[in-house]
């Protein structure tokens, strides 16, 4: 319940106008639907055989917020969502994708941890990911494996 109240407050405070016709009275949850796209996704070639990290950006061009709730891939039996505050990494159950904003998973920041790998991926290999969200349909992407030292230009 606290999450719903917090989400409603965040949506109301956002103040975005999606240009649609609304009923004017309900500002809590009807600002529009999320419109998600994914870019810049990659997996760092893991130094170990059993664990890797994944990075990507989820852009939301819609007026409604969403949450990344899980990620699945044939490469790993488990993918967990991690947030980083300072030097502390913590597993979380979801990551916010703000309305008219983005969720950035970056090296040194929030990221995906892939554990119990089926094999150690090689640079140039493509890995399938399916991103699952609280309200939006799943998004399937092909993710390149990059060298451990790779840093996106963006």
């Amino acid at each position: 319940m606290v999450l719903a109240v917090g989400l409603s407050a965040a949506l109301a405070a956002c103040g975005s106008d999606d240009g649609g016709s609304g009923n004017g009275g309900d500002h809590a949850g009807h600002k529009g639907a999320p419109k998600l796209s994914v870019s810049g996704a990659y997996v760092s070639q893991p130094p170990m055989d059993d664990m890797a990290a994944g990075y990507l950006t989820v852009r939301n061009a819609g007026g409604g917020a969403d949450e990344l709730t899980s990620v699945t891939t044939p490469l790993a039996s488990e993918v967990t969502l991690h947030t980083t505050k300072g030097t502390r990494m913590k597993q979380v159950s979801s990551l916010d994708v703000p309305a008219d904003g983005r969720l950035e998973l970056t090296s040194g920041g929030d990221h995906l941890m892939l554990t119990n790998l089926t094999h150690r991926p090689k640079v140039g290999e493509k890995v399938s990911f399916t991103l699952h969200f609280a309200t939006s349909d799943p998004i399937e992407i092909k993710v390149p494996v990059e060298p451990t030292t790779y840093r996106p230009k963006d």
Side-chain angles (χ1 to χ4, degrees):
M1 183 61 183
V2 173
L3 177 64
V5 171
L7 186 58
S8 294
L11 286 172
C14 182
S16 67
D17 181 9
D18 64 4
S21 61
N23 62 12
D26 181 8
H27 293 288
H30 297 357
K31 288 286 191 180
K35 292 180 189 149
L36 306 181
S37 62
V38 180
S39 64
Y42 70 98
V43 171
S44 286
Q45 183 180 34
M48 303 171 259
D49 290 341
D50 61 344
M51 189 180 301
Y55 311 101
L56 53 86
T57 298
V58 179
R59 285 183 170 74
N60 183 355
D66 207 339
E67 294 175 67
L68 177 64
T69 56
S70 68
V71 176
T72 54
T73 176
L75 177 63
S77 65
E78 185 176 28
V79 180
T80 52
L81 309 173
H82 288 258
T83 186
T84 304
K85 302 279 188 245
T87 58
R88 298 190 60 103
M89 183 174 76
K90 183 173 102 172
Q91 184 175 331
V92 293
S93 60
S94 66
L95 293 168
D96 292 335
V97 183
D100 298 311
R102 67 173 90 191
L103 165 64
E104 294 188 46
L105 303 183
T106 60
S107 179
D110 297 348
H111 59 280
L112 306 173
M113 288 300 302
L114 291 69
T115 52
N116 301 321
L117 302 181
T118 57
H119 68 281
R120 187 174 173 191
K122 296 185 177 9
V123 172
E125 188 176 328
K126 295 275 190 184
V127 179
S128 296
F129 276 23
T130 304
L131 283 65
H132 302 272
F133 299 92
T135 58
S136 299
D137 289 337
I139 297 176
E140 293 186 22
I141 57 173
K142 294 278 193 198
V143 179
V145 177
E146 299 287 358
T148 307
T149 56
Y150 175 77
R151 294 294 175 265
K153 312 275 187 287
D154 212 358

